[in-house]
Amino acid sequence: MSGSALFNTFARAPLSFDHGEGSWLVTPGGQRFLDFAGGIAVNSLGHGHPHLVAALTEQAAKLWHVSNLYEVPGQSRLAERLAEASFADKAFFTNSGAEAIECAIKTARRYHFAKGHPERYRIITIEGAFHGRTLATIAAGGQPKYIEGFGPKVEGFDQIAYADLDKIEEMVTPETAAIMMEPVQGEGGIRPVPAATMRKLREICDSHSMLLVLDEIQCGIGRTGKLFAHEWSGIKPDIMAIAKGIGGGFPMGACLATEEAAAGMVPGTHGTTFGGNPLAMAVGNAVLDVVLEEGFLDEVQRKALLLKQGLASVLDEYSAVFEEVRGEGLMLGLKCRVPNTAVNAALRDQNLLTAPAGDNVVRLLPPLNVSDDDIRVAIDAIRAAATGLAEDAAGAA
Ligand SMILES: *Cc1c(COP(=O)(O)O)cnc(C)c1O
């Protein structure tokens, strides 16, 4: 046996942590790292947030799990609050993002089935998309590196090149059920879809009686400075998957839908053992308590501007290392001119944690409640890392 008893599926950094404090992670030896990876956009309120800790520990002392054979009051409450704050009327709770997308795909297909159109099951997705790692969600994401070697690709997904988005209507056939997309591609490299394109996609869905399915697993729950990223374009989806940030670190997700779009999901069509369990619901409700507080999202936008301005000044100085800053709110990407993995490692050497993404981008996903001081610490760390990387680049040239 080589190395550890774990599957070799992850390229892990040689680093582990003992505990977290707000935006910081602390190793067993007491070394402190500023966490701008945020468990990949999961730790929306940082580590050890007192309100979340209290919600989880109070619930842990009362009741962990009952299954969906019974009513779970925390589920009804969270569903009502999400509906109140969004386009949705209905919610189905899951344990992960991929499961929320699976539910979204099934809901879209069942919608047409229930309307007497079982032939309408195909879904158009977008190049660079990431929708999860189950068999259906890798087919939806369409990335060959995730699909290869896992048997026949799940049928029913048609992918359009990112550059051809304006020609998406040509891909619609009588079998098309929906368009599914991330308003801001996360794994694909922090690529926000322009508001005008979002509005166009909505129009196309309306004119062909198709559903618009959004994947806001990474960009939702305040990440872009609005509760949901699609709000920036003024449109509304029919179905939306969320996960990551809504649990603040506790595994959970949800598929949200309008009453009409969810009409086909009648008793017996879908289920889950763990989804919507009392622990997850307690934490999800606690995250919403904070994110929906008056002024919280305005603060996210203000902090995002501070971070973006700092990054812009580093970019001006180090154009040999960085090409551009992109993204919305506290979901920012540094497009690199040197390998993003080298940048990620150099930042780690400066005790700043970030997350690589596609298109040679390094992602910055700080907690939504990051302090101004910690933003300044991050910018200084990025500048220090860039100095070293620029010297290396000059040496290599
Ligand atoms: C992370 C992510 C997923 C998958 O979520 P898991 O919880 O890993 O299953 C799907 N879509 C997007 C946009 C994501 O960022």
Side-chain angles (χ1 to χ4, degrees):
M1 205 184 73
S2 71
S4 87
L6 296 167
F7 265 41
N8 289 323
T9 43
F10 300 108
R12 299 173 196 272
L15 203 53
S16 69
F17 305 101
D18 177 69
H19 63 279
E21 299 162 5
S23 301
W24 293 82
L25 280 169
V26 186
T27 68
Q31 224 192 335
R32 294 168 64 82
F33 287 82
L34 183 54
D35 186 10
F36 273 37
I40 316 189
V42 165
N43 298 103
S44 44
L45 299 174
H47 302 278
H49 190 289
H51 186 60
L52 272 55
V53 172
L56 182 62
T57 49
E58 272 167 34
Q59 186 60 49
K62 282 204 285 191
L63 188 63
W64 291 18
H65 178 82
V66 294
S67 87
N68 287 302
L69 292 171
Y70 311 101
E71 287 181 10
V72 179
Q75 265 188 41
S76 316
R77 176 154 182 261
L78 186 53
E80 277 160 24
R81 295 175 79 192
L82 286 168
E84 172 74 28
S86 77
F87 73 97
D89 305 307
K90 300 272 188 189
F92 181 96
F93 291 105
T94 66
N95 311 291
S96 67
E99 286 171 275
I101 291 287
E102 288 271 348
C103 181
I105 294 167
K106 288 176 77 173
T107 302
R109 288 181 173 180
R110 276 292 294 199
Y111 166 83
H112 292 289
F113 174 88
K115 290 207 143 198
H117 290 286
E119 78 286 1
R120 294 191 76 169
Y121 67 92
R122 305 197 69 85
I123 296 176
I124 299 175
T125 63
I126 297 171
E127 176 203 349
F130 182 80
H131 297 301
R133 298 297 200 116
T134 62
L135 289 169
T137 57
I138 55 175
Q143 299 211 39
K145 66 178 175 184
Y146 297 149
I147 294 172
E148 191 185 33
F150 296 115
K153 186 179 156 199
V154 171
E155 244 287 283
F157 299 97
D158 301 306
Q159 193 153 70
I160 184 150
Y162 199 83
D164 291 341
L165 264 183
D166 54 332
K167 292 185 224 142
I168 200 165
E169 201 161 9
E170 294 168 21
M171 293 193 58
V172 176
T173 75
E175 294 184 345
T176 309
I179 295 174
M180 182 164 83
M181 46 98 56
E182 300 156 82
V184 184
Q185 282 191 348
E187 309 298 307
I190 311 293
R191 295 200 288 187
V193 174
T197 307
M198 296 288 293
R199 288 193 283 270
K200 181 81 184 141
L201 296 179
R202 179 68 268 179
E203 273 173 37
I204 292 168
C205 286
D206 289 341
S207 66
H208 295 274
S209 307
M210 286 156 32
L211 299 176
L212 181 62
V213 181
L214 296 183
D215 181 344
E216 293 226 15
I217 290 168
Q218 192 160 151
C219 61
I221 309 295
R223 183 50 58 190
T224 67
K226 299 263 190 207
L227 186 59
F228 297 111
H230 67 265
E231 293 171 26
W232 289 108
S233 64
I235 60 131
K236 290 185 168 93
D238 302 291
I239 300 173
M240 179 170 74
I242 61 171
K244 295 202 164 100
I246 181 66
F250 198 91
M252 66 172 295
C255 174
L256 308 180
T258 63
E259 179 135 38
E260 199 197 347
M265 300 300 272
V266 296
T269 50
H270 196 47
T272 168
T273 299
F274 292 122
N277 81 65
L279 296 172
M281 296 302 99
V283 181
N285 274 304
V287 168
L288 277 196
D289 290 342
V290 178
V291 173
L292 294 179
E293 231 167 63
E294 177 85 38
F296 182 88
L297 293 171
D298 294 334
E299 269 295 281
V300 172
Q301 292 183 30
R302 187 188 62 75
K303 285 168 189 180
L305 194 64
L306 189 66
L307 178 55
K308 225 172 180 174
Q309 283 168 343
L311 294 173
S313 78
V314 177
L315 241 77
D316 280 348
E317 254 177 278
Y318 296 98
S319 55
V321 180
F322 300 119
E323 189 177 324
E324 73 170 324
V325 186
R326 60 202 200 193
E328 195 73 69
L330 290 174
M331 185 176 182
L332 296 177
L334 284 168
K335 167 108 170 133
C336 304
R337 290 195 203 274
V338 298
N340 61 346
T341 46
V343 174
N344 200 57
L347 292 171
R348 197 166 64 232
D349 290 343
Q350 299 294 332
N351 290 35
L352 175 66
L353 303 175
T354 56
D359 202 25
N360 206 31
V361 162
V362 166
R363 270 178 291 183
L364 304 176
L365 304 161
L368 303 180
N369 57 351
V370 62
S371 71
D372 290 12
D373 279 347
D374 285 343
I375 288 174
R376 288 186 199 102
V377 171
I379 291 164
D380 288 345
I382 295 167
R383 185 175 284 111
T387 309
L389 289 161
E391 281 164 10
D392 294 350

